[in-house]
Amino acid sequence: MACLPPAKKNNILSCICIASDHGKIPEKMEQVQYRAKNWMPNAIRIPNLQTLRQTAREIEGPWRRVLEEKYGKILGLLEVEVQPHALAMLAQFYDVHLRCFTFKDFQLILTLEEYERVLRMPIKEPTVYFHKGYHPSWGVVAELLRKPEVEICRVKKARNGVEGLPSEYLENVLNYHRETKNWQVVVDTLALLIYGILLFPQLEDYVDLATVDVFVVVKEKNENPVPTMLAGTYYTLNCCLNKHGTNLRCCIHALYLWMTTHCCSGKCKTGCPIKDYKWGCIKTMSGEEWIHHFIELYEGTIRWYPK
């Protein structure tokens, strides 16, 4: 977990002025003083993905295609190494009122089309997920995991009033079915853990019933969860700033890929953010280095997706 300490009100950072009527850098750049706003202490928790990564490597051939066709090409997210400082600093540039990231001479906004590309889940109308107002029963969860309902009811929790299952228990279920070579349940359980830990995180090391509801609807009705993930990202960004700092509870891997695709130069440009990330070789930077990286961005340095 990385936490950005709040800066003093009179904190001054030196940066390059790029004011121009055409949004271009003038030939003679003038050093000016950039008055920083009050930085918010945002906490970024990176989950332990060791078990999920190991299982994903064992799923090959037809079973891998089954997982990707049913739940999306989500296994690539497991290979993304998120730098917590990068997202903590990026959040400082989010404008609550405009719902976008505001930099020197340009603004960036999260869109459905970009999240479709990041998560590789194209939306096909009218198959978009909407919560129906109720959660699946524990019997449905037991059937999904191929476990007795009595056992599920025994291990379920209600953390902060939110019902769900500890991720440790689900990982034990995953390992059990791996050993018995029950690959259909392995695929379902692995995908459920990815949905709960990466795509729809609510509490740390915990998969709540709301996430199970999304997962079951995707599995049975083939509805697309991308709009819900995007809405969750906006919601947590707004909470961070309105509450003057809190945990970023959203799909941080998707947000990180979106950020690196636009704000970090790479060796090549493709239509796939995960491939761009692998080719990019993004160096590890401290919080101070990231904040200067974002401050120095201008319209001419931003990368746009290829058509």
Side-chain angles (χ1 to χ4, degrees):
M1 179 178 72
C3 186
L4 172 64
K8 297 180 180 179
K9 291 185 178 180
N10 294 325
N11 182 30
I12 302 295
L13 295 177
S14 176
C15 75
I16 302 295
C17 176
I18 60 168
S20 171
D21 293 338
H22 303 287
K24 298 180 180 179
I25 301 180
E27 293 182 0
K28 294 183 178 180
M29 294 185 295
E30 178 184 0
Q31 286 284 348
V32 298
Q33 295 298 315
Y34 177 83
R35 182 174 296 276
K37 63 180 180 179
N38 295 327
W39 304 109
M40 299 302 172
N42 298 319
I44 314 293
R45 289 190 174 94
I46 306 300
N48 185 347
L49 303 176
Q50 182 177 356
T51 300
L52 276 62
R53 286 169 175 164
Q54 181 178 352
T55 304
R57 295 188 188 103
E58 296 179 8
I59 298 178
E60 299 177 345
W63 286 115
R64 194 178 190 90
R65 289 194 294 272
V66 167
L67 188 150
E68 292 180 345
E69 290 174 1
K70 177 61 67 175
Y71 304 114
K73 297 180 179 180
I74 54 179
L75 296 182
L77 293 174
L78 297 175
E79 303 304 322
V80 177
E81 296 288 349
V82 175
Q83 295 190 42
H85 287 300
L87 294 184
M89 299 304 172
L90 176 68
Q92 311 304 322
F93 293 86
Y94 182 72
D95 191 309
V96 175
H97 302 291
L98 297 179
R99 301 292 193 271
C100 68
F101 296 93
T102 299
F103 298 93
K104 281 182 181 178
D105 64 344
F106 68 95
Q107 294 171 317
L108 287 177
I109 185 171
L110 296 160
T111 66
L112 275 176
E113 291 78 9
E114 289 179 319
Y115 256 47
E116 284 182 72
R117 200 184 300 246
V118 167
L119 298 164
R120 294 187 287 180
M121 296 181 183
I123 297 176
K124 299 178 182 179
E125 294 289 350
T127 59
V128 175
Y129 169 80
F130 288 101
H131 180 55
K132 305 301 188 296
Y134 54 87
H135 296 316
S137 66
W138 290 111
V140 171
V141 178
E143 182 179 356
L144 175 68
L145 300 176
R146 300 294 193 273
K147 288 291 182 178
E149 185 175 352
V150 175
E151 177 181 327
I152 298 297
C153 292
R154 186 176 67 250
V155 299
K156 70 177 183 179
K157 303 292 182 182
R159 291 175 54 185
N160 297 341
V162 178
E163 287 192 299
L165 293 171
S167 60
E168 181 181 5
Y169 170 75
L170 291 174
E171 289 180 3
N172 290 336
V173 172
L174 180 66
N175 290 330
Y176 169 78
H177 290 299
R178 280 172 56 197
E179 293 174 357
T180 59
K181 306 298 182 181
N182 192 342
W183 292 109
Q184 180 61 67
V185 187
V186 169
V187 165
D188 291 340
T189 308
L190 175 61
L192 176 60
L193 277 164
I194 294 175
Y195 270 58
I197 295 176
L198 293 187
L199 304 187
F200 299 98
Q202 176 68 13
L203 298 171
E204 190 174 5
D205 301 325
Y206 195 70
V207 178
D208 65 344
L209 272 182
T211 299
V212 177
D213 178 60
V214 177
F215 180 81
V216 170
V217 171
V218 171
K219 174 180 171 61
E220 297 181 352
K221 299 182 180 180
N222 200 32
E223 294 185 0
N224 194 300
V226 171
T228 305
M229 279 183 274
L230 181 59
T233 302
Y234 275 113
Y235 176 78
T236 193
L237 285 169
N238 289 337
C239 285
C240 280
L241 273 75
N242 288 330
K243 294 182 179 180
H244 303 289
T246 184
N247 294 333
L248 269 176
R249 292 197 183 103
C250 63
C251 184
I252 60 174
H253 287 68
L255 181 60
Y256 184 76
L257 280 175
W258 175 85
M259 182 274 294
T260 56
T261 300
H262 286 303
C263 303
C264 299
S265 59
K267 295 181 179 179
C268 68
K269 296 181 181 180
T270 71
C272 177
I274 290 182
K275 290 182 180 179
D276 286 346
Y277 164 79
K278 292 179 179 179
W279 280 96
C281 299
I282 301 168
K283 70 174 184 178
T284 302
M285 294 192 287
S286 66
E288 183 178 354
E289 289 174 316
W290 274 111
I291 202 66
H292 282 286
H293 174 79
F294 290 128
I295 287 175
E296 292 170 0
L297 289 176
Y298 62 94
E299 186 271 339
T301 61
I302 292 301
R303 298 175 58 211
W304 308 106
Y305 287 120
K307 296 181 179 180

PDB file of all heavy atoms in Angstrom, residues 92-112:
ATOM      1  N   GLN A  92      -4.548  13.114  -7.936  1.00  0.00           N
ATOM      2  CA  GLN A  92      -4.471  14.524  -7.553  1.00  0.00           C
ATOM      3  C   GLN A  92      -4.915  15.454  -8.686  1.00  0.00           C
ATOM      4  O   GLN A  92      -5.281  16.605  -8.444  1.00  0.00           O
ATOM      5  CB  GLN A  92      -3.043  14.885  -7.130  1.00  0.00           C
ATOM      6  CG  GLN A  92      -2.407  13.938  -6.138  1.00  0.00           C
ATOM      7  CD  GLN A  92      -3.216  13.761  -4.871  1.00  0.00           C
ATOM      8  OE1 GLN A  92      -3.802  14.717  -4.366  1.00  0.00           O
ATOM      9  NE2 GLN A  92      -3.258  12.539  -4.361  1.00  0.00           N
ATOM     10  N   PHE A  93      -4.884  14.951  -9.914  1.00  0.00           N
ATOM     11  CA  PHE A  93      -5.250  15.775 -11.066  1.00  0.00           C
ATOM     12  C   PHE A  93      -6.711  15.590 -11.474  1.00  0.00           C
ATOM     13  O   PHE A  93      -7.143  16.148 -12.477  1.00  0.00           O
ATOM     14  CB  PHE A  93      -4.334  15.438 -12.255  1.00  0.00           C
ATOM     15  CG  PHE A  93      -2.902  15.834 -12.033  1.00  0.00           C
ATOM     16  CD1 PHE A  93      -2.027  14.977 -11.379  1.00  0.00           C
ATOM     17  CD2 PHE A  93      -2.430  17.063 -12.449  1.00  0.00           C
ATOM     18  CE1 PHE A  93      -0.710  15.338 -11.155  1.00  0.00           C
ATOM     19  CE2 PHE A  93      -1.116  17.434 -12.236  1.00  0.00           C
ATOM     20  CZ  PHE A  93      -0.249  16.570 -11.581  1.00  0.00           C
ATOM     21  N   TYR A  94      -7.448  14.801 -10.701  1.00  0.00           N
ATOM     22  CA  TYR A  94      -8.851  14.561 -11.040  1.00  0.00           C
ATOM     23  C   TYR A  94      -9.705  15.742 -10.601  1.00  0.00           C
ATOM     24  O   TYR A  94      -9.600  16.223  -9.477  1.00  0.00           O
ATOM     25  CB  TYR A  94      -9.347  13.282 -10.371  1.00  0.00           C
ATOM     26  CG  TYR A  94     -10.777  12.940 -10.719  1.00  0.00           C
ATOM     27  CD1 TYR A  94     -11.107  12.480 -11.989  1.00  0.00           C
ATOM     28  CD2 TYR A  94     -11.794  13.092  -9.784  1.00  0.00           C
ATOM     29  CE1 TYR A  94     -12.414  12.169 -12.318  1.00  0.00           C
ATOM     30  CE2 TYR A  94     -13.106  12.781 -10.100  1.00  0.00           C
ATOM     31  CZ  TYR A  94     -13.409  12.323 -11.368  1.00  0.00           C
ATOM     32  OH  TYR A  94     -14.714  12.027 -11.692  1.00  0.00           O
ATOM     33  N   ASP A  95     -10.559  16.204 -11.497  1.00  0.00           N
ATOM     34  CA  ASP A  95     -11.469  17.318 -11.225  1.00  0.00           C
ATOM     35  C   ASP A  95     -12.863  16.757 -10.970  1.00  0.00           C
ATOM     36  O   ASP A  95     -13.492  16.203 -11.872  1.00  0.00           O
ATOM     37  CB  ASP A  95     -11.496  18.279 -12.418  1.00  0.00           C
ATOM     38  CG  ASP A  95     -12.219  19.583 -12.100  1.00  0.00           C
ATOM     39  OD1 ASP A  95     -13.356  19.525 -11.596  1.00  0.00           O
ATOM     40  OD2 ASP A  95     -11.648  20.657 -12.363  1.00  0.00           O
ATOM     41  N   VAL A  96     -13.334  16.889  -9.734  1.00  0.00           N
ATOM     42  CA  VAL A  96     -14.626  16.319  -9.352  1.00  0.00           C
ATOM     43  C   VAL A  96     -15.765  16.927 -10.158  1.00  0.00           C
ATOM     44  O   VAL A  96     -16.696  16.225 -10.573  1.00  0.00           O
ATOM     45  CB  VAL A  96     -14.877  16.525  -7.841  1.00  0.00           C
ATOM     46  CG1 VAL A  96     -16.268  16.050  -7.461  1.00  0.00           C
ATOM     47  CG2 VAL A  96     -13.830  15.784  -7.028  1.00  0.00           C
ATOM     48  N   HIS A  97     -15.715  18.227 -10.388  1.00  0.00           N
ATOM     49  CA  HIS A  97     -16.822  18.914 -11.057  1.00  0.00           C
ATOM     50  C   HIS A  97     -16.863  18.604 -12.552  1.00  0.00           C
ATOM     51  O   HIS A  97     -17.939  18.447 -13.129  1.00  0.00           O
ATOM     52  CB  HIS A  97     -16.702  20.419 -10.826  1.00  0.00           C
ATOM     53  CG  HIS A  97     -16.691  20.802  -9.374  1.00  0.00           C
ATOM     54  ND1 HIS A  97     -17.801  20.673  -8.570  1.00  0.00           N
ATOM     55  CD2 HIS A  97     -15.694  21.278  -8.574  1.00  0.00           C
ATOM     56  CE1 HIS A  97     -17.508  21.066  -7.339  1.00  0.00           C
ATOM     57  NE2 HIS A  97     -16.234  21.437  -7.318  1.00  0.00           N
ATOM     58  N   LEU A  98     -15.696  18.504 -13.178  1.00  0.00           N
ATOM     59  CA  LEU A  98     -15.648  18.241 -14.616  1.00  0.00           C
ATOM     60  C   LEU A  98     -15.595  16.752 -14.940  1.00  0.00           C
ATOM     61  O   LEU A  98     -15.736  16.369 -16.100  1.00  0.00           O
ATOM     62  CB  LEU A  98     -14.434  18.937 -15.236  1.00  0.00           C
ATOM     63  CG  LEU A  98     -14.420  20.466 -15.147  1.00  0.00           C
ATOM     64  CD1 LEU A  98     -13.147  21.017 -15.777  1.00  0.00           C
ATOM     65  CD2 LEU A  98     -15.645  21.053 -15.836  1.00  0.00           C
ATOM     66  N   ARG A  99     -15.370  15.919 -13.912  1.00  0.00           N
ATOM     67  CA  ARG A  99     -15.278  14.465 -14.099  1.00  0.00           C
ATOM     68  C   ARG A  99     -14.183  14.104 -15.107  1.00  0.00           C
ATOM     69  O   ARG A  99     -14.380  13.287 -16.007  1.00  0.00           O
ATOM     70  CB  ARG A  99     -16.617  13.884 -14.575  1.00  0.00           C
ATOM     71  CG  ARG A  99     -17.790  14.134 -13.641  1.00  0.00           C
ATOM     72  CD  ARG A  99     -17.641  13.364 -12.339  1.00  0.00           C
ATOM     73  NE  ARG A  99     -18.875  13.353 -11.574  1.00  0.00           N
ATOM     74  CZ  ARG A  99     -19.230  14.268 -10.675  1.00  0.00           C
ATOM     75  NH1 ARG A  99     -18.411  15.290 -10.443  1.00  0.00           N
ATOM     76  NH2 ARG A  99     -20.359  14.175 -10.017  1.00  0.00           N
ATOM     77  N   CYS A 100     -13.025  14.715 -14.945  1.00  0.00           N
ATOM     78  CA  CYS A 100     -11.917  14.417 -15.842  1.00  0.00           C
ATOM     79  C   CYS A 100     -10.606  14.729 -15.136  1.00  0.00           C
ATOM     80  O   CYS A 100     -10.590  15.311 -14.047  1.00  0.00           O
ATOM     81  CB  CYS A 100     -12.028  15.222 -17.139  1.00  0.00           C
ATOM     82  SG  CYS A 100     -11.788  17.000 -16.896  1.00  0.00           S
ATOM     83  N   PHE A 101      -9.498  14.331 -15.757  1.00  0.00           N
ATOM     84  CA  PHE A 101      -8.170  14.661 -15.254  1.00  0.00           C
ATOM     85  C   PHE A 101      -7.690  15.909 -15.989  1.00  0.00           C
ATOM     86  O   PHE A 101      -7.609  15.919 -17.218  1.00  0.00           O
ATOM     87  CB  PHE A 101      -7.200  13.501 -15.476  1.00  0.00           C
ATOM     88  CG  PHE A 101      -7.566  12.257 -14.713  1.00  0.00           C
ATOM     89  CD1 PHE A 101      -8.340  11.272 -15.308  1.00  0.00           C
ATOM     90  CD2 PHE A 101      -7.154  12.081 -13.404  1.00  0.00           C
ATOM     91  CE1 PHE A 101      -8.693  10.123 -14.612  1.00  0.00           C
ATOM     92  CE2 PHE A 101      -7.498  10.932 -12.696  1.00  0.00           C
ATOM     93  CZ  PHE A 101      -8.270   9.958 -13.299  1.00  0.00           C
ATOM     94  N   THR A 102      -7.382  16.946 -15.240  1.00  0.00           N
ATOM     95  CA  THR A 102      -6.990  18.222 -15.826  1.00  0.00           C
ATOM     96  C   THR A 102      -5.493  18.439 -15.649  1.00  0.00           C
ATOM     97  O   THR A 102      -4.989  18.466 -14.525  1.00  0.00           O
ATOM     98  CB  THR A 102      -7.764  19.378 -15.174  1.00  0.00           C
ATOM     99  OG1 THR A 102      -9.165  19.191 -15.398  1.00  0.00           O
ATOM    100  CG2 THR A 102      -7.340  20.713 -15.770  1.00  0.00           C
ATOM    101  N   PHE A 103      -4.799  18.596 -16.776  1.00  0.00           N
ATOM    102  CA  PHE A 103      -3.364  18.842 -16.759  1.00  0.00           C
ATOM    103  C   PHE A 103      -3.102  20.253 -17.279  1.00  0.00           C
ATOM    104  O   PHE A 103      -3.983  21.102 -17.252  1.00  0.00           O
ATOM    105  CB  PHE A 103      -2.641  17.782 -17.592  1.00  0.00           C
ATOM    106  CG  PHE A 103      -2.827  16.384 -17.056  1.00  0.00           C
ATOM    107  CD1 PHE A 103      -3.858  15.580 -17.532  1.00  0.00           C
ATOM    108  CD2 PHE A 103      -1.993  15.880 -16.074  1.00  0.00           C
ATOM    109  CE1 PHE A 103      -4.041  14.288 -17.041  1.00  0.00           C
ATOM    110  CE2 PHE A 103      -2.170  14.595 -15.568  1.00  0.00           C
ATOM    111  CZ  PHE A 103      -3.202  13.804 -16.055  1.00  0.00           C
ATOM    112  N   LYS A 104      -1.916  20.518 -17.775  1.00  0.00           N
ATOM    113  CA  LYS A 104      -1.548  21.883 -18.160  1.00  0.00           C
ATOM    114  C   LYS A 104      -2.439  22.447 -19.260  1.00  0.00           C
ATOM    115  O   LYS A 104      -3.127  23.450 -19.069  1.00  0.00           O
ATOM    116  CB  LYS A 104      -0.096  21.909 -18.634  1.00  0.00           C
ATOM    117  CG  LYS A 104       0.933  21.902 -17.529  1.00  0.00           C
ATOM    118  CD  LYS A 104       2.308  21.982 -18.163  1.00  0.00           C
ATOM    119  CE  LYS A 104       3.390  21.963 -17.119  1.00  0.00           C
ATOM    120  NZ  LYS A 104       4.725  22.003 -17.745  1.00  0.00           N
ATOM    121  N   ASP A 105      -2.374  21.827 -20.425  1.00  0.00           N
ATOM    122  CA  ASP A 105      -3.103  22.378 -21.564  1.00  0.00           C
ATOM    123  C   ASP A 105      -4.039  21.352 -22.197  1.00  0.00           C
ATOM    124  O   ASP A 105      -4.394  21.452 -23.362  1.00  0.00           O
ATOM    125  CB  ASP A 105      -2.125  22.905 -22.619  1.00  0.00           C
ATOM    126  CG  ASP A 105      -1.271  21.794 -23.222  1.00  0.00           C
ATOM    127  OD1 ASP A 105      -1.215  20.699 -22.619  1.00  0.00           O
ATOM    128  OD2 ASP A 105      -0.668  22.007 -24.291  1.00  0.00           O
ATOM    129  N   PHE A 106      -4.429  20.342 -21.431  1.00  0.00           N
ATOM    130  CA  PHE A 106      -5.340  19.337 -21.966  1.00  0.00           C
ATOM    131  C   PHE A 106      -6.050  18.640 -20.812  1.00  0.00           C
ATOM    132  O   PHE A 106      -5.669  18.775 -19.642  1.00  0.00           O
ATOM    133  CB  PHE A 106      -4.591  18.307 -22.823  1.00  0.00           C
ATOM    134  CG  PHE A 106      -3.668  17.420 -22.024  1.00  0.00           C
ATOM    135  CD1 PHE A 106      -4.089  16.175 -21.578  1.00  0.00           C
ATOM    136  CD2 PHE A 106      -2.383  17.832 -21.711  1.00  0.00           C
ATOM    137  CE1 PHE A 106      -3.247  15.365 -20.837  1.00  0.00           C
ATOM    138  CE2 PHE A 106      -1.533  17.026 -20.967  1.00  0.00           C
ATOM    139  CZ  PHE A 106      -1.967  15.793 -20.531  1.00  0.00           C
ATOM    140  N   GLN A 107      -7.087  17.905 -21.153  1.00  0.00           N
ATOM    141  CA  GLN A 107      -7.841  17.122 -20.180  1.00  0.00           C
ATOM    142  C   GLN A 107      -8.028  15.707 -20.715  1.00  0.00           C
ATOM    143  O   GLN A 107      -8.139  15.504 -21.924  1.00  0.00           O
ATOM    144  CB  GLN A 107      -9.211  17.760 -19.909  1.00  0.00           C
ATOM    145  CG  GLN A 107      -9.118  19.119 -19.229  1.00  0.00           C
ATOM    146  CD  GLN A 107     -10.456  19.820 -19.162  1.00  0.00           C
ATOM    147  OE1 GLN A 107     -11.207  19.813 -20.130  1.00  0.00           O
ATOM    148  NE2 GLN A 107     -10.755  20.431 -18.027  1.00  0.00           N
ATOM    149  N   LEU A 108      -8.056  14.747 -19.815  1.00  0.00           N
ATOM    150  CA  LEU A 108      -8.294  13.354 -20.180  1.00  0.00           C
ATOM    151  C   LEU A 108      -9.519  12.855 -19.432  1.00  0.00           C
ATOM    152  O   LEU A 108      -9.693  13.139 -18.244  1.00  0.00           O
ATOM    153  CB  LEU A 108      -7.091  12.478 -19.821  1.00  0.00           C
ATOM    154  CG  LEU A 108      -5.842  12.611 -20.688  1.00  0.00           C
ATOM    155  CD1 LEU A 108      -4.728  11.734 -20.144  1.00  0.00           C
ATOM    156  CD2 LEU A 108      -6.144  12.240 -22.131  1.00  0.00           C
ATOM    157  N   ILE A 109     -10.351  12.097 -20.129  1.00  0.00           N
ATOM    158  CA  ILE A 109     -11.559  11.563 -19.520  1.00  0.00           C
ATOM    159  C   ILE A 109     -11.639  10.066 -19.779  1.00  0.00           C
ATOM    160  O   ILE A 109     -11.272   9.584 -20.858  1.00  0.00           O
ATOM    161  CB  ILE A 109     -12.816  12.276 -20.075  1.00  0.00           C
ATOM    162  CG1 ILE A 109     -14.073  11.797 -19.349  1.00  0.00           C
ATOM    163  CG2 ILE A 109     -12.948  12.072 -21.575  1.00  0.00           C
ATOM    164  CD1 ILE A 109     -15.305  12.596 -19.690  1.00  0.00           C
ATOM    165  N   LEU A 110     -12.073   9.333 -18.784  1.00  0.00           N
ATOM    166  CA  LEU A 110     -12.274   7.892 -18.931  1.00  0.00           C
ATOM    167  C   LEU A 110     -13.555   7.652 -19.725  1.00  0.00           C
ATOM    168  O   LEU A 110     -14.606   8.195 -19.391  1.00  0.00           O
ATOM    169  CB  LEU A 110     -12.392   7.230 -17.558  1.00  0.00           C
ATOM    170  CG  LEU A 110     -11.163   7.301 -16.647  1.00  0.00           C
ATOM    171  CD1 LEU A 110     -11.565   7.058 -15.203  1.00  0.00           C
ATOM    172  CD2 LEU A 110     -10.127   6.287 -17.081  1.00  0.00           C
ATOM    173  N   THR A 111     -13.477   6.835 -20.756  1.00  0.00           N
ATOM    174  CA  THR A 111     -14.651   6.572 -21.586  1.00  0.00           C
ATOM    175  C   THR A 111     -14.936   5.074 -21.659  1.00  0.00           C
ATOM    176  O   THR A 111     -14.059   4.240 -21.399  1.00  0.00           O
ATOM    177  CB  THR A 111     -14.455   7.103 -23.016  1.00  0.00           C
ATOM    178  OG1 THR A 111     -13.410   6.345 -23.654  1.00  0.00           O
ATOM    179  CG2 THR A 111     -14.084   8.577 -23.003  1.00  0.00           C
ATOM    180  N   LEU A 112     -16.164   4.746 -22.039  1.00  0.00           N
ATOM    181  CA  LEU A 112     -16.543   3.348 -22.206  1.00  0.00           C
ATOM    182  C   LEU A 112     -15.695   2.672 -23.278  1.00  0.00           C
ATOM    183  O   LEU A 112     -15.265   1.525 -23.122  1.00  0.00           O
ATOM    184  CB  LEU A 112     -18.027   3.245 -22.580  1.00  0.00           C
ATOM    185  CG  LEU A 112     -19.044   3.249 -21.442  1.00  0.00           C
ATOM    186  CD1 LEU A 112     -20.455   3.237 -22.009  1.00  0.00           C
ATOM    187  CD2 LEU A 112     -18.838   2.060 -20.514  1.00  0.00           C
TER     188      LEU A 112
END
